[in-house]
Amino acid sequence: MTDTPRTRDELVIVPHTHWDREWYLPFQRFRLQLVGLLDTVLERMAQDPRQRFTLDGQAVAVDDYLQVRPEQRERLTGLIKEGRLAVGPWQILLDEFLCSGENIVRNLELGLRRSQDMGGAMPVGYLPDMFGHCAQMPQILRGAGLEHACVWRGVPAAVERHAFAWTAPDGTAIRTEYLAAGGYGSAAGLFDDPGRLAERAGAVAAKLRPWRPDGSPILAMYGSDHTAPAADLADLLERHNAADEHVTLRLATMAEYFAAQPTGLEGLRAVNGELRSHARANILPGVFSVRAPLKQAMARAERAVERYAEPLAALWFDGAAERFLQMAWHRLIEVSCHDSVTGCGCDETAQQVAARIAEAEQLGLAVRDMVAGPLAARVPHDAHLLLNPTPARRTDLVELDVAGEGPVHLVGADGTAFPAQRLASAPTLLADDTVPAERLPTVLARVHGSELYGREITAWHLEPERRLLHFTVARRSELPFDIAAVRAALEQARAEGLWRVVIEAEPRQRVAALVSAPPLGHTAVRAVPGPAPAGAVSHGVRAEGGRALDNGLLRVEIAEDGTFAVRSAGGVTLSGAGRVVDGGDLGDTYNYAPPAHDVLVDSPEEVTVRRAAEGPLTGAFEVERRYAWPKAGDFGADGRTPDTEQTTVTTRVELRAGERFVRLAFSFDNRSDDHRVRMHVPLPRRAEVSHGEGQFAVVERGLSAEGGFGEEPVPTFPASAFVAAGGAALLLEHATEYELVEDGAQLAVTLLRPTGQMSRNRHVWRDEPAGGEFRTPQAQCRGLRTVTFGLLPYAGEWHEADVHAAAEAFRHPLMALHGTGQGAAALPAPGEGLSVTGEGVVLTSVREREGGLEARVVAQTPHPATAGLSLPGLRGVERCDLLGRASAAGEAPSLDGERATVLLRPWEIATFRLER
């Protein structure tokens, strides 16, 4: 019997670098290496036209380089135009679960634009090192006009070929190349020893050949983290091809490789939804829970820009806000990098990421204030401007600072009365000082115009016989004031000796008010003395005894151990919610690792309950639970230290009028290291699946995860706006790690997971290191930590419970600002913006684009949905693709007056241009 001759293999060699912009070194130190690498690569490419290079699918590396080497722009763009240097389509390689869906779209949009400006974008959704992939990515890529994706981590074991049909929840599929058997480094080191090139090429071909039974050319990724190709790469290839009879090597960019690939899906295995399998590569799920304050800051910044700044500027601002919004988006996109917002880098990197996130938030708030300025100027200064960031008319609770000390209520422009509840009174005595007469001029220097102590002077008087100088101040005053008159009066009184200087403020109080506001619009309200008319409060809150709250929709009762029970009006009940469990963690920033000899602390040593608000608009209890948490992990004994830290967890349990969910805030001063703190919610019924919201979808997950590689397949998952399971939905403020535990009987969410090491070489739940062993003391997250939730019990399925609307109300409160116009004037009429209706239809973006407004909505529902878009003055509506280009794809909207309607398929992302 003779051997069958083997067919000659062809390896398509793609020289590249995987460039982590910041990781175990901060950005600027990595940029120094990037400049050196690209200097070398560009010089070699200029000298040898055979050379090819792929710059990791992200345009930011080019931007970072050209800031230092602007003189290289012409050379670099020339190589891109020639097709020898491939860049884009992303601006940066993101983490797909720790930013919003809109952030993903803007990242792709910016990367494509920057790459096109430089000579052309690589037409491939290249996603080489993300820690798993979100469900809607196929729809996002196809919506931007891309026909190929390329992934590594997270691909399930069922995929046995180099390509598969990755399918989004809406049914959109994209041909996807799987970087099997080595990921983006499948041919790394191939040319390190020219004398062994034939041997190594044969080994690479043998490793990758089983994924291509059709004998087609094999993609071989020649590169790794922060590496340049061999200097004489092209010569090595030619010498090898002349001598080797078994394997041919061909240089190409990633773009050139995919240009030769089919775009059809026939014969390809379909893989649906998110890619989060541990079958063949680590997906490092612990990044979702490490450095929790970074995730909280990211969510705040995205909300400030996406929901408060950009839509309100598009609808209500005539000035130029675009540059500020561009700066904000640039920062949000930069920090979405898979080694940035993840927190799995050194402490210096995390510091710089936090600073950029804070800048993005402040830019968003600055635009919000810029929009609000002209609107507030139309509102009298004794009234308030309210902004609604959501596309639905809302009646919601706001906290206002108003004048007076007795009962008040609010009135709108049309005379509608809104109830108010007093929360606290502000101090009226601001100063009562005794000073020598010779220091009185110094005291008067505190007055700037009519401002004193941040308020405006409304009156003053001098009593020489009592040696008293008295000022009355208010938030605003329209009375004339001249400091010269005060100086003259003191001079006439021949002030001497000790004088008493009193500064007294007008009575003010902080109230909670239940007010209504139009969709994505504004309204104004004014506080007037006296309680609201009878019957103004619907589903008001009653505090019953010392431990119960009831608003007719929900009843909450605090138990002796500090947990609480919740019962809905429909009879859905859960008990023991809010249990706090502290356990050890000997892992790192990438993966949780339970100690072999763990100590779980879930029972408080002492519980104190006190009432914080009485109702009828808001009622609340503060529950203090004192625990003895172990001080740190004991790595030598594979356990936790016997020394403990006394830790008090304060839980605010709040119920508001008309709300179907209870609001929770957990606060504690973390003084322990190497542990994981979780909050547990027993479910009304056992759950076999959970539904986590994030990135334009609500994804169903089971009780287990697929394993097979060297990483423990833990069923911890991320969710952004909410997670729902077994009749309970937990509304979230930021991307949060959750898990169904006790065989689906309970939902556990991570409050904090402190750790002191970036990666550990020896890890009980991961075979290979995820990086170097760098200390990360700041990742221990010492100090005060607060996490908020909403808890909504429901009957039936999650999508029948209007969870989206509850999450919108929880995450996007009405904004209240003081008016700045003339006092006592009439209130301006409300302004109505864009309204979006439809079961499960969520608005994700509104912005000003050339040709009108652009609005993006997503049908986050398993059923077809009819979306309605209403806008005063609406004259036309047109479908666009994801990048805002006119598109015939999808059902065309119909326009009836100022309302457009369109039928959306389940999970469809739809973008529209609105003409006013």
Side-chain angles (χ1 to χ4, degrees):
M1 182 175 179
T2 59
D3 294 334
T4 302
R6 180 163 58 86
T7 304
R8 186 180 180 92
D9 290 315
E10 181 180 22
L11 293 182
V12 181
I13 305 297
V14 175
H16 76 100
T17 186
H18 175 56
W19 197 262
D20 299 294
R21 192 172 190 251
E22 51 197 355
W23 182 22
Y24 58 83
L25 293 178
F27 161 57
Q28 295 296 357
R29 294 175 68 183
F30 265 144
R31 171 147 72 173
L32 185 65
Q33 297 179 25
L34 173 69
V35 170
L37 182 146
L38 284 183
D39 280 347
T40 300
V41 169
L42 295 182
E43 183 62 30
R44 292 173 182 170
M45 295 183 76
Q47 295 173 0
D48 187 349
R50 297 170 298 173
Q51 296 277 12
R52 298 288 190 272
F53 196 66
T54 296
L55 197 49
D56 208 26
Q58 49 183 340
V60 73
V62 179
D63 290 339
D64 292 342
Y65 176 73
L66 290 179
Q67 285 182 0
V68 180
R69 294 280 193 265
E71 70 278 5
Q72 291 278 42
R73 182 179 301 275
E74 185 174 346
R75 171 183 281 184
L76 192 147
T77 56
L79 291 169
I80 295 173
K81 291 174 182 176
E82 291 174 22
R84 296 170 54 206
L85 179 64
V87 299
W90 298 101
Q91 178 65 13
I92 203 163
L93 292 181
L94 68 159
D95 184 281
E96 298 173 32
F97 295 97
L98 287 174
C99 64
S100 69
E102 195 60 36
N103 197 334
I104 297 175
V105 172
R106 303 304 177 91
N107 186 346
L108 187 55
E109 179 183 281
L110 177 60
L112 285 167
R113 184 171 68 245
R114 290 289 302 122
S115 302
Q116 293 291 353
D117 290 345
M118 291 183 286
M122 182 170 72
V124 180
Y126 185 52
L127 302 162
D129 197 30
M130 288 68 178
F131 307 154
H133 303 280
C134 67
Q136 289 280 35
M137 186 58 75
Q139 189 179 176
I140 293 171
L141 296 176
R142 291 299 299 269
L146 301 179
E147 295 183 319
H148 296 277
C150 184
V151 301
W152 170 36
R153 302 184 193 267
V155 175
V159 173
E160 298 173 337
R161 298 292 183 265
H162 72 97
F164 61 94
W166 186 13
T167 307
D170 76 314
T172 299
I174 188 168
R175 186 185 186 280
T176 303
E177 185 81 15
Y178 176 32
L179 297 175
Y184 57 80
S186 59
L190 176 60
F191 299 94
D192 289 356
D193 185 350
R196 300 180 61 189
L197 178 54
E199 172 192 342
R200 292 185 175 182
V204 171
K207 176 178 65 173
L208 299 176
R209 189 186 308 114
W211 297 91
R212 292 178 177 269
D214 60 356
S216 60
I218 300 170
L219 174 63
M221 301 296 292
Y222 169 52
S224 187
D225 296 355
H226 313 140
T227 58
D232 54 348
L233 177 61
D235 290 336
L236 290 172
L237 257 72
E238 287 192 0
R239 288 198 295 268
H240 168 84
N241 289 340
D244 191 277
E245 300 178 356
H246 302 294
V247 180
T248 299
L249 307 180
R250 173 166 59 89
L251 281 182
T253 65
M254 184 72 81
E256 289 173 325
Y257 169 79
F258 277 98
Q261 300 304 305
T263 59
L265 304 174
E266 185 178 355
L268 298 182
R269 176 182 290 275
V271 177
N272 298 315
E274 67 181 6
L275 305 180
R276 292 200 51 79
S277 170
H278 305 253
R280 296 196 182 97
N282 294 336
I283 62 169
L284 311 169
V287 297
F288 299 132
S289 53
V290 75
R291 299 192 198 265
L294 208 59
K295 279 67 172 178
Q296 291 175 300
M298 182 69 167
R300 286 196 308 269
E302 286 183 328
R303 287 196 294 269
V305 176
E306 293 180 22
R307 300 307 299 268
Y308 290 93
E310 194 171 60
L312 294 173
L315 291 163
W316 300 107
F317 190 58
D318 293 330
E322 180 60 25
R323 186 64 190 126
F324 288 97
L325 290 169
Q326 286 177 357
M327 290 189 291
W329 274 114
H330 269 272
R331 283 156 179 79
L332 286 175
I333 291 166
E334 284 182 357
V335 297
S336 72
C337 185
H338 68 286
D339 288 313
S340 298
V341 70
T342 48
C344 55
C346 65
D347 285 345
E348 293 83 356
T349 291
Q351 290 170 355
Q352 293 176 11
V353 170
R356 277 182 248 133
I357 292 174
E359 278 192 50
E361 181 182 14
Q362 294 306 318
L363 283 162
L365 295 177
V367 171
R368 181 206 66 183
D369 293 345
M370 189 162 55
V371 173
L375 298 175
R378 297 166 47 202
V379 177
H381 66 74
D382 62 342
H384 284 82
L385 170 71
L386 302 179
L387 297 174
N388 179 6
T390 57
R393 181 172 296 277
R394 288 174 61 184
T395 298
D396 213 344
L397 207 67
V398 294
E399 290 192 11
L400 304 175
D401 167 52
V402 301
E405 51 190 347
V408 299
H409 66 281
L410 304 182
V411 293
D414 61 356
T416 301
F418 302 108
Q421 173 186 332
R422 179 177 173 274
L423 300 177
S425 294
T428 56
L429 184 62
L430 303 184
D432 189 346
D433 302 323
T434 301
V435 299
E438 58 268 24
R439 285 197 57 211
L440 286 174
T442 303
V443 172
L444 295 184
R446 301 172 187 168
V447 178
H448 304 280
S450 62
E451 181 271 327
L452 177 59
Y453 284 2
R455 297 166 173 81
E456 296 184 4
I457 297 171
T458 60
W460 68 275
H461 67 271
L462 191 71
E463 299 181 27
E465 66 281 1
R466 296 175 57 194
R467 295 181 181 177
L468 172 67
L469 175 58
H470 187 281
F471 292 96
T472 302
V473 296
R475 197 188 68 82
R476 279 286 302 272
S477 173
E478 295 179 356
L479 300 175
F481 172 78
D482 187 355
I483 191 66
V486 182
R487 292 195 179 99
L490 285 172
E491 185 176 344
Q492 184 177 358
R494 301 179 183 276
E496 59 183 20
L498 294 177
W499 278 69
R500 184 182 173 201
V501 180
V502 176
I503 304 172
E504 194 169 4
E506 65 172 349
R508 298 195 72 82
Q509 57 184 316
R510 185 165 54 91
V511 301
L514 195 61
V515 297
S516 295
L520 272 171
H522 59 84
T523 191
V525 293
R526 173 184 276 131
V528 297
V537 181
S538 176
H539 295 295
V541 181
R542 304 185 308 276
E544 299 180 358
R547 292 176 177 261
L549 298 168
D550 197 312
N551 69 356
L553 301 173
L554 282 183
R555 181 176 178 82
V556 183
E557 296 185 19
I558 312 296
E560 292 296 325
D561 64 355
T563 63
F564 53 91
V566 182
R567 185 174 72 249
S568 73
V572 179
T573 303
L574 54 91
S575 301
R579 183 167 63 100
V580 175
V581 180
D582 175 70
D585 180 6
L586 302 185
D588 51 32
T589 63
Y590 292 97
N591 295 80
Y592 162 73
H597 309 292
D598 204 355
V599 176
L600 295 178
V601 181
D602 63 354
S603 298
E605 297 178 339
E606 183 180 349
V607 179
T608 303
V609 180
R610 60 175 176 270
R611 188 176 295 172
E614 299 277 349
L617 300 185
T618 176
F621 290 105
E622 287 189 349
V623 182
E624 288 187 353
R625 288 174 279 180
R626 186 165 58 85
Y627 301 88
W629 287 352
K631 199 165 190 174
D634 188 335
F635 290 85
D638 202 0
R640 306 184 74 183
T641 62
D643 297 337
T644 60
E645 288 282 356
Q646 291 295 313
T647 305
T648 299
V649 178
T650 300
T651 307
R652 180 181 172 89
V653 182
E654 180 185 5
L655 197 57
R656 295 183 177 181
E659 285 192 341
R660 299 177 296 124
F661 57 90
V662 57
R663 293 173 180 261
L664 309 170
F666 293 82
S667 300
F668 56 92
D669 182 3
N670 179 52
R671 298 192 296 272
S672 297
D673 293 341
D674 312 310
H675 64 130
R676 181 178 69 174
V677 188
R678 300 211 287 187
M679 188 271 289
H680 286 238
V681 176
L683 301 177
R685 59 182 184 270
R686 182 184 173 277
E688 294 184 354
V689 296
S690 64
H691 294 88
E693 192 278 344
Q695 298 78 42
F696 300 145
V698 180
V699 180
E700 181 176 292
R701 289 123 174 187
L703 298 176
S704 61
E706 183 180 49
F709 194 63
E711 181 180 53
E712 184 73 15
V714 294
T716 55
F717 302 104
S720 294
F722 64 82
V723 54
L730 200 63
L731 314 179
L732 308 172
E733 64 170 12
H734 65 279
T736 300
E737 174 189 272
Y738 77 88
E739 181 181 5
L740 289 179
V741 297
E742 297 188 14
D743 198 29
Q746 294 197 19
L747 172 68
V749 292
T750 304
L751 304 181
L752 195 69
R753 192 176 71 84
T755 185
Q757 198 87 358
M758 190 184 91
S759 176
R760 297 189 186 277
N761 291 340
R762 298 186 61 81
H763 192 295
V764 66
W765 274 6
R766 190 186 64 233
D767 283 349
E768 64 180 33
E773 286 198 313
F774 294 89
R775 293 183 64 250
T776 56
Q778 292 178 20
Q780 297 286 11
C781 295
R782 293 295 192 96
L784 182 64
R785 302 299 169 205
T786 300
V787 186
T788 63
F789 301 100
L791 180 57
L792 168 66
Y794 63 87
E797 299 297 326
W798 71 269
H799 53 85
E800 300 169 336
D802 208 11
V803 180
H804 284 297
E808 281 279 287
F810 177 71
R811 290 163 62 88
H812 305 118
L814 301 179
M815 298 296 297
L817 300 98
H818 284 286
T820 59
Q822 293 297 309
L827 297 178
E832 183 167 334
L834 177 65
S835 170
V836 176
T837 60
E839 184 178 347
V841 177
V842 178
L843 179 74
T844 66
S845 171
V846 180
R847 56 174 162 168
E848 188 74 42
R849 294 293 290 266
E850 185 177 349
L853 288 178
E854 180 189 275
R856 185 160 21 253
V857 298
V858 184
Q860 292 202 25
T861 168
H863 305 295
T866 300
L869 290 82
S870 301
L871 181 68
L874 182 63
R875 297 171 51 195
V877 59
E878 179 185 18
R879 258 201 189 258
C880 307
D881 70 2
L882 203 66
L883 303 181
R885 303 169 298 200
S887 172
E891 180 169 306
S894 62
L895 185 63
D896 182 7
E898 296 178 337
R899 176 180 172 83
T901 58
V902 62
L903 181 65
L904 303 179
R905 62 184 182 273
W907 311 110
E908 181 180 359
I909 305 168
T911 308
F912 303 97
R913 181 176 294 118
L914 309 177
E915 180 185 354
R916 288 190 293 180

